[in-house]
Coordinates of all heavy atoms in Angstrom, one line a residue:
Q61 N 41.3 -3.1 -7.7 CA 40.9 -3.5 -6.3 C 41.4 -2.5 -5.3 O 40.7 -2.2 -4.3 CB 41.5 -4.9 -6.1 CG 40.7 -6.0 -6.8 CD 41.4 -7.3 -6.7 OE1 42.6 -7.4 -6.6 NE2 40.6 -8.3 -6.9
E62 N 42.6 -1.9 -5.5 CA 43.1 -0.9 -4.6 C 42.3 0.3 -4.5 O 42.2 1.1 -3.6 CB 44.6 -0.6 -4.9 CG 45.5 -1.7 -4.5 CD 46.9 -1.5 -5.1 OE1 47.2 -0.4 -5.8 OE2 47.7 -2.4 -4.9
L63 N 41.5 0.6 -5.7 CA 40.6 1.7 -5.7 C 39.3 1.4 -5.1 O 38.4 2.3 -5.1 CB 40.5 2.2 -7.2 CG 41.7 2.9 -7.8 CD1 41.5 3.1 -9.3 CD2 42.0 4.2 -7.0
G64 N 39.1 0.2 -4.7 CA 37.8 -0.2 -4.0 C 36.8 -0.8 -4.9 O 35.7 -1.0 -4.5
F65 N 37.2 -1.1 -6.1 CA 36.2 -1.8 -7.1 C 36.3 -3.3 -7.0 O 37.4 -3.8 -6.7 CB 36.6 -1.4 -8.5 CG 36.2 0.0 -8.8 CD1 37.2 1.0 -8.7 CD2 35.0 0.4 -9.3 CE1 36.9 2.4 -9.0 CE2 34.6 1.7 -9.6 CZ 35.6 2.7 -9.5
L66 N 35.2 -3.9 -7.1 CA 35.1 -5.4 -7.2 C 35.2 -5.8 -8.6 O 34.6 -5.1 -9.5 CB 33.8 -5.9 -6.5 CG 33.6 -5.7 -5.1 CD1 32.2 -6.1 -4.6 CD2 34.7 -6.3 -4.2
I67 N 35.9 -6.8 -8.9 CA 36.1 -7.3 -10.3 C 34.9 -8.3 -10.6 O 34.8 -9.3 -9.9 CB 37.4 -8.0 -10.5 CG1 38.6 -7.1 -10.2 CG2 37.5 -8.5 -12.0 CD1 38.7 -5.9 -11.0
K68 N 34.0 -8.0 -11.5 CA 32.9 -8.8 -11.8 C 33.2 -9.8 -12.9 O 32.8 -10.9 -12.9 CB 31.7 -7.8 -12.2 CG 30.5 -8.5 -12.7 CD 29.5 -8.7 -11.6 CE 28.2 -9.3 -12.1 NZ 27.1 -9.1 -11.2
I69 N 33.9 -9.3 -14.0 CA 34.2 -10.2 -15.1 C 35.7 -10.1 -15.3 O 36.3 -9.1 -15.3 CB 33.5 -9.7 -16.4 CG1 32.0 -9.7 -16.3 CG2 34.0 -10.5 -17.6 CD1 31.3 -9.1 -17.5
E70 N 36.3 -11.3 -15.4 CA 37.7 -11.5 -15.5 C 38.0 -12.5 -16.6 O 37.8 -13.7 -16.3 CB 38.4 -11.8 -14.2 CG 39.8 -11.8 -14.2 CD 40.4 -12.0 -12.8 OE1 39.7 -12.1 -11.8 OE2 41.7 -12.2 -12.8
A71 N 38.4 -12.1 -17.8 CA 38.6 -13.1 -18.9 C 40.0 -12.8 -19.5 O 40.0 -12.1 -20.5 CB 37.5 -13.0 -19.9
P72 N 41.0 -13.3 -18.9 CA 42.4 -13.1 -19.4 C 42.6 -13.6 -20.9 O 43.3 -13.0 -21.6 CB 43.3 -13.8 -18.5 CG 42.5 -14.2 -17.3 CD 41.1 -14.1 -17.7
E73 N 41.8 -14.6 -21.2 CA 42.0 -15.2 -22.6 C 41.5 -14.2 -23.6 O 41.9 -14.2 -24.8 CB 41.3 -16.5 -22.7 CG 39.8 -16.5 -22.5 CD 39.3 -16.5 -21.0 OE1 40.1 -16.5 -20.1 OE2 38.1 -16.4 -20.8
T74 N 40.5 -13.3 -23.3 CA 40.1 -12.3 -24.2 C 40.6 -10.9 -23.9 O 40.4 -10.0 -24.6 CB 38.5 -12.2 -24.3 OG1 38.0 -11.9 -23.0 CG2 37.9 -13.5 -24.7
G75 N 41.3 -10.8 -22.8 CA 41.9 -9.5 -22.3 C 40.9 -8.6 -21.8 O 41.1 -7.3 -21.7
V76 N 39.7 -9.1 -21.2 CA 38.7 -8.2 -20.7 C 38.5 -8.4 -19.2 O 38.4 -9.5 -18.7 CB 37.3 -8.4 -21.4 CG1 36.2 -7.7 -20.8 CG2 37.4 -8.1 -22.9
M77 N 38.5 -7.2 -18.5 CA 38.2 -7.2 -17.1 C 37.2 -6.1 -16.9 O 37.3 -5.0 -17.4 CB 39.5 -6.8 -16.4 CG 39.5 -6.8 -14.9 SD 41.1 -6.3 -14.2 CE 42.2 -7.4 -15.0
E78 N 36.2 -6.4 -16.0 CA 35.1 -5.4 -15.8 C 34.8 -5.3 -14.3 O 34.7 -6.4 -13.7 CB 33.9 -5.8 -16.6 CG 32.8 -4.7 -16.6 CD 31.7 -5.0 -17.6 OE1 31.9 -5.0 -18.8 OE2 30.6 -5.3 -17.1
T79 N 34.7 -4.1 -13.8 CA 34.3 -3.9 -12.4 C 32.8 -4.1 -12.2 O 32.1 -4.0 -13.2 CB 34.7 -2.5 -11.9 OG1 33.9 -1.6 -12.5 CG2 36.2 -2.3 -12.1
D80 N 32.4 -4.3 -11.0 CA 31.0 -4.3 -10.7 C 30.6 -2.9 -10.5 O 31.4 -1.9 -10.5 CB 30.8 -5.1 -9.3 CG 29.4 -5.6 -9.2 OD1 28.5 -5.3 -10.0 OD2 29.2 -6.3 -8.1
W81 N 29.2 -2.7 -10.5 CA 28.7 -1.3 -10.3 C 29.2 -0.8 -9.0 O 29.1 -1.5 -8.0 CB 27.2 -1.3 -10.4 CG 26.6 -1.6 -11.7 CD1 26.1 -2.7 -12.1 CD2 26.6 -0.7 -12.8 NE1 25.7 -2.6 -13.5 CE2 26.0 -1.4 -13.9 CE3 27.1 0.6 -13.0 CZ2 25.8 -0.8 -15.2 CZ3 26.9 1.2 -14.3 CH2 26.3 0.5 -15.3
A82 N 29.6 0.4 -8.9 CA 30.0 1.1 -7.7 C 29.4 2.4 -7.5 O 29.3 3.2 -8.5 CB 31.6 1.2 -7.6
E83 N 29.0 2.7 -6.3 CA 28.4 4.1 -6.1 C 29.5 5.1 -6.2 O 30.6 5.0 -5.7 CB 27.8 4.1 -4.7 CG 27.2 5.3 -4.3 CD 26.5 5.3 -2.9 OE1 27.0 4.6 -2.1 OE2 25.6 6.0 -2.7
N84 N 29.2 6.2 -6.8 CA 30.1 7.4 -6.9 C 29.9 8.2 -5.6 O 29.1 9.2 -5.6 CB 29.8 8.2 -8.1 CG 30.8 9.3 -8.3 OD1 31.6 9.6 -7.4 ND2 30.9 9.8 -9.5
R85 N 30.6 7.9 -4.6 CA 30.4 8.6 -3.3 C 31.0 10.0 -3.2 O 30.8 10.8 -2.3 CB 31.0 7.7 -2.1 CG 30.2 6.4 -2.0 CD 30.4 5.7 -0.7 NE 30.0 6.4 0.4 CZ 28.8 6.5 0.9 NH1 27.8 5.9 0.3 NH2 28.6 7.1 2.1
A86 N 31.8 10.3 -4.3 CA 32.4 11.7 -4.4 C 31.3 12.7 -4.5 O 31.6 13.9 -4.2 CB 33.3 11.8 -5.5
K87 N 30.1 12.4 -4.9 CA 29.1 13.3 -5.2 C 28.2 13.6 -3.9 O 27.2 14.3 -4.0 CB 28.2 12.9 -6.3 CG 29.0 12.9 -7.6 CD 28.2 12.9 -8.8 CE 29.1 13.0 -10.0 NZ 28.3 13.2 -11.2
I88 N 28.5 12.9 -2.8 CA 27.7 13.1 -1.6 C 28.2 14.4 -1.0 O 29.4 14.5 -0.7 CB 27.8 12.0 -0.6 CG1 27.2 10.7 -1.2 CG2 27.2 12.3 0.7 CD1 27.4 9.5 -0.4
P89 N 27.4 15.4 -0.7 CA 27.8 16.6 -0.1 C 28.4 16.3 1.3 O 27.9 15.5 2.0 CB 26.6 17.5 0.0 CG 25.6 16.9 -0.9 CD 25.9 15.4 -1.0
Q90 N 29.5 17.0 1.6 CA 30.1 16.8 2.9 C 29.9 18.0 3.8 O 30.4 19.1 3.6 CB 31.6 16.6 2.7 CG 32.0 15.4 1.9 CD 31.5 14.1 2.5 OE1 31.7 13.9 3.7 NE2 30.8 13.2 1.8
D91 N 29.1 17.8 4.8 CA 28.9 18.9 5.8 C 29.1 18.2 7.2 O 29.4 17.0 7.3 CB 27.6 19.6 5.7 CG 26.4 18.6 5.9 OD1 26.6 17.5 6.5 OD2 25.3 19.0 5.4
F92 N 29.1 19.0 8.3 CA 29.4 18.4 9.6 C 28.5 17.2 10.0 O 29.0 16.2 10.4 CB 29.3 19.5 10.6 CG 29.5 19.0 12.1 CD1 30.7 18.7 12.5 CD2 28.4 18.9 12.9 CE1 30.9 18.2 13.8 CE2 28.6 18.4 14.2 CZ 29.8 18.1 14.6
I93 N 27.2 17.4 9.8 CA 26.3 16.3 10.1 C 26.5 15.1 9.3 O 26.6 14.0 9.8 CB 24.8 16.8 10.0 CG1 24.6 17.9 11.1 CG2 23.8 15.7 10.2 CD1 23.2 18.6 10.9
R94 N 26.7 15.2 8.0 CA 26.9 14.0 7.2 C 28.2 13.4 7.5 O 28.3 12.1 7.5 CB 26.9 14.4 5.7 CG 25.5 14.6 5.2 CD 25.4 14.7 3.7 NE 24.0 14.7 3.3 CZ 23.4 15.9 2.8 NH1 24.1 17.0 2.8 NH2 22.2 15.8 2.5
N95 N 29.3 14.2 7.8 CA 30.5 13.6 8.2 C 30.4 12.8 9.5 O 30.9 11.7 9.6 CB 31.6 14.6 8.4 CG 32.1 15.1 7.0 OD1 32.0 14.4 6.0 ND2 32.7 16.4 7.0
L96 N 29.7 13.3 10.5 CA 29.5 12.7 11.8 C 28.7 11.4 11.6 O 29.1 10.3 12.0 CB 28.8 13.6 12.7 CG 28.6 13.0 14.2 CD1 29.9 12.8 14.8 CD2 27.8 14.0 15.0
L97 N 27.5 11.5 10.9 CA 26.7 10.3 10.7 C 27.4 9.3 9.8 O 27.2 8.1 10.0 CB 25.3 10.7 10.2 CG 24.4 11.5 11.1 CD1 23.2 11.9 10.4 CD2 24.1 10.6 12.4
G98 N 28.1 9.8 8.8 CA 28.8 8.9 7.9 C 29.8 8.0 8.6 O 30.0 6.8 8.2
K99 N 30.4 8.5 9.7 CA 31.3 7.7 10.4 C 30.6 6.6 11.2 O 31.2 5.5 11.5 CB 32.2 8.6 11.4 CG 33.1 9.5 10.6 CD 33.8 10.4 11.5 CE 34.7 11.4 10.8 NZ 35.3 12.4 11.6
V100 N 29.4 6.9 11.7 CA 28.6 5.9 12.5 C 28.0 4.9 11.5 O 28.0 3.7 11.8 CB 27.6 6.7 13.3 CG1 26.7 5.7 14.1 CG2 28.3 7.6 14.3
I101 N 27.3 5.4 10.5 CA 26.5 4.5 9.6 C 27.0 4.8 8.2 O 26.5 5.8 7.6 CB 25.0 4.7 9.8 CG1 24.6 4.6 11.2 CG2 24.3 3.8 8.9 CD1 23.2 5.0 11.5

Side-chain angles (χ1 to χ4, degrees):
Q61 290 172 330
E62 287 169 2
L63 290 172
F65 289 91
L66 298 175
I67 304 298
K68 175 92 176 201
I69 297 172
E70 187 176 354
E73 62 280 359
T74 60
V76 174
M77 182 183 307
E78 191 171 290
T79 69
D80 202 356
W81 291 105
E83 180 178 30
N84 186 345
R85 296 195 62 83
K87 296 198 176 190
I88 297 176
Q90 297 299 312
D91 60 22
F92 175 74
I93 294 172
R94 283 195 175 101
N95 283 337
L96 181 64
L97 291 175
K99 290 176 185 174
V100 177
I101 305 170

